[in-house]
Amino acid sequence: MGRAPCCDKTKVKRGPWSPEEDAKLRDYIEKYGNGGNWISLPLKAGLRRCGKSCRLRWLNYLRPNIKHGDFSEEEDRIIFSLFAAIGSRWSIIAAHLQGRTDNDIKNYWNTKLRKKIMSSSSSSSSSHSSAAMATPFLNPNSHDVKRPITPSATIAPFSYNPYVENSTRSLISNINGFEADDQQIFPFFNPNYPHEFSLEDMSSSNNNNNISGTSGFLLNHSMCDHYSNHNNFSSEVNGKRSEIMMEQEEMMMIDHHIDQMTEGYNGDFTQGYYNNDINGHGDLKRMISGTGTNSNINMGGSGSGSGSGTASSSRFISNLAENKTSSSLLQHTCLPYFYS
DNA sequence: AAAAAGAGCAACCGCGGCATC
DNA sequence: AGATGCCGCGGTTGCTCTTTT
């Protein structure tokens, strides 16, 4: 047999909550919590409400530290980037914004942010502003979706990476009709680019978003920067330089993956190889970054504007990735996550 | 000034996943 | 193992306030 019915909907009050009801609910939960059962709570709290209604009221309005009011530019960017990466998973998006509820974000997106982006995109269709870059996710007919096509002579099949081969298109296509060629999505995995990330020491320089190095591969993790600037990743091997422009959707997928991949890791990988792990508090995310900041993901090589990272960090990352090279870490560990 | 339209947002609805019986 | 109920989530509704005509 199952449990008792939730409530008799004909006997509960519906509609807006009164201050008195709010006070009752708040007082009860602050004293006793919800007891792990919202259904039985209203009776105990002396409320003629459905348990679901109580839960909603508490979570969306009465809960401590709820933030109401205007969203900041930074919050806009976070919402937008996560929406583009994972869609309307409002609860997940809310988890990235302290004090905001899923309902709040959902309403904000539906009433303001979407319009804001749409209106901006129509006035700057060719720029890389955040608004313009939003277009592909909002307008399936957009012609801005695809990156400039890489010269075909340099493109090799992704036969070494079944995930890219089989799943990229379907994944991307799920984002509001976005269509793209596999080879246009992750060109930085193209073996014909000089990006066979070695584990050698290297010198590097870092100018804001334009990150360059030799043999290394570093993704700037600051979405804020991604939106306001071109994402220009370059690598130099044997004096030959290749620059790759990363589209926003690529960055967001990687960004999202890193968050997912590192969730719950609590320092098992602290080996003292990394600035931020020296004290034994590193997590996988920081370990991957190997830079002492969370804003950079160092997937190989070394050197960044953060001034840390060493060749050994690359080796260690590689060891963690089951002895794959650092580029393989991204290929075989990050990508499958998205394509599963 | 009043009516209509639009915007904002709290609350409700219904579904899927999971837990319980 | 199957039935039932709870929880959490995303989508939708409808009320209220604001803006436009």
Side-chain angles (χ1 to χ4, degrees), chain A residues 1-64:
Chain A
M1 291 293 290
R3 298 174 180 172
C6 160
C7 61
D8 184 345
K9 286 186 166 44
T10 64
K11 292 181 180 175
V12 296
K13 185 185 171 191
R14 300 168 71 180
W17 280 64
S18 68
E20 291 76 22
E21 288 176 308
D22 283 348
K24 276 187 180 178
L25 180 59
R26 186 186 292 110
D27 289 348
Y28 184 86
I29 291 179
E30 284 175 354
K31 277 184 185 171
Y32 309 108
N34 75 341
N37 187 340
W38 286 104
I39 302 304
S40 62
L41 184 145
L43 190 63
K44 296 175 186 171
L47 288 161
R48 288 182 55 247
R49 287 277 181 176
C50 173
K52 287 180 101 173
S53 180
C54 292
R55 175 184 167 273
L56 202 66
R57 184 66 178 171
W58 173 256
L59 292 177
N60 287 342
Y61 202 83
L62 300 175
R63 187 162 49 109

Side-chain angles (χ1 to χ4, degrees), chain A residues 302-330:
Chain A
S302 64
S304 78
S306 303
S308 62
T310 66
S312 61
S313 70
S314 296
R315 292 193 189 95
F316 192 66
I317 289 168
S318 300
N319 290 338
L320 282 166
E322 298 173 346
N323 296 320
K324 298 182 189 305
T325 66
S326 48
S327 57
S328 294
L329 172 65
L330 196 56

Side-chain angles (χ1 to χ4, degrees), chain A residues 29-331:
Chain A
I29 291 179
E30 284 175 354
K31 277 184 185 171
Y32 309 108
N34 75 341
N37 187 340
W38 286 104
I39 302 304
S40 62
L41 184 145
L43 190 63
K44 296 175 186 171
L47 288 161
R48 288 182 55 247
R49 287 277 181 176
C50 173
K52 287 180 101 173
S53 180
C54 292
R55 175 184 167 273
L56 202 66
R57 184 66 178 171
W58 173 256
L59 292 177
N60 287 342
Y61 202 83
L62 300 175
R63 187 162 49 109
N65 302 321
I66 290 287
K67 196 195 293 180
H68 292 290
D70 292 344
F71 283 69
S72 68
E73 286 289 319
E74 180 61 18
E75 286 176 314
D76 283 0
R77 277 191 285 267
I78 292 169
I79 294 168
F80 166 70
S81 65
L82 288 170
F83 183 89
I86 63 176
S88 56
R89 310 279 293 279
W90 303 118
S91 59
I92 295 174
I93 295 173
H96 287 75
L97 296 172
Q98 196 166 16
R100 300 293 188 184
T101 68
D102 53 354
N103 206 42
D104 246 4
I105 294 168
K106 177 174 59 181
N107 284 331
Y108 179 59
W109 174 268
N110 287 332
T111 59
K112 291 181 181 174
L113 193 53
R114 183 162 52 184
K115 293 172 188 172
K116 188 176 170 182
I117 290 168
M118 290 297 280
S119 62
S120 299
S121 65
S122 62
S123 62
S124 58
S125 59
S126 63
S127 79
H128 277 224
S129 68
S130 63
M133 296 180 86
T135 306
F137 303 101
L138 301 174
N139 178 8
N141 298 318
S142 168
H143 296 294
D144 293 332
V145 170
K146 295 181 178 183
R147 71 171 62 252
I149 295 175
T150 310
S152 58
T154 67
I155 295 176
F158 283 88
S159 56
Y160 65 98
N161 188 341
Y163 298 108
V164 170
E165 182 70 30
N166 297 327
S167 309
T168 304
R169 185 179 291 106
S170 60
L171 169 81
I172 301 301
S173 296
N174 283 338
I175 305 175
N176 288 350
F178 175 67
E179 292 180 2
D181 295 332
D182 293 344
Q183 290 160 349
Q184 291 177 312
I185 293 172
F186 291 103
F188 46 91
F189 298 128
N190 186 323
N192 280 354
Y193 277 101
H195 275 263
E196 189 48 48
F197 313 121
S198 73
L199 303 179
E200 300 163 3
D201 281 321
M202 65 183 189
S203 61
S204 68
S205 62
N206 179 0
N207 294 317
N208 298 322
N209 288 344
N210 295 324
I211 300 160
S212 61
T214 53
S215 305
F217 183 78
L218 188 145
L219 304 181
N220 189 309
H221 194 49
S222 164
M223 297 308 294
C224 178
D225 289 343
H226 298 330
Y227 300 143
S228 56
N229 297 287
H230 291 188
N231 304 296
N232 194 347
F233 296 89
S234 63
S235 182
E236 196 168 313
V237 174
N238 297 329
K240 188 176 180 180
R241 187 182 179 84
S242 167
E243 294 199 350
I244 298 171
M245 298 292 294
M246 294 191 70
E247 288 288 350
Q248 183 194 31
E249 57 268 25
E250 297 162 359
M251 292 309 304
M252 285 186 287
M253 280 187 275
I254 292 169
D255 202 48
H256 177 57
H257 170 75
I258 294 296
D259 283 342
Q260 294 287 332
M261 183 178 157
T262 60
E263 191 173 5
Y265 282 85
N266 284 315
D268 288 340
F269 304 105
T270 59
Q271 301 292 324
Y273 289 108
Y274 312 100
N275 280 7
N276 48 0
D277 290 336
I278 286 171
N279 295 327
H281 299 299
D283 57 15
L284 181 57
K285 186 172 191 169
R286 293 193 175 113
M287 180 208 68
I288 287 173
S289 88
T291 62
T293 75
N294 281 329
S295 62
N296 293 314
I297 309 164
N298 192 340
M299 287 300 192
S302 64
S304 78
S306 303
S308 62
T310 66
S312 61
S313 70
S314 296
R315 292 193 189 95
F316 192 66
I317 289 168
S318 300
N319 290 338
L320 282 166
E322 298 173 346
N323 296 320
K324 298 182 189 305
T325 66
S326 48
S327 57
S328 294
L329 172 65
L330 196 56
Q331 287 173 17

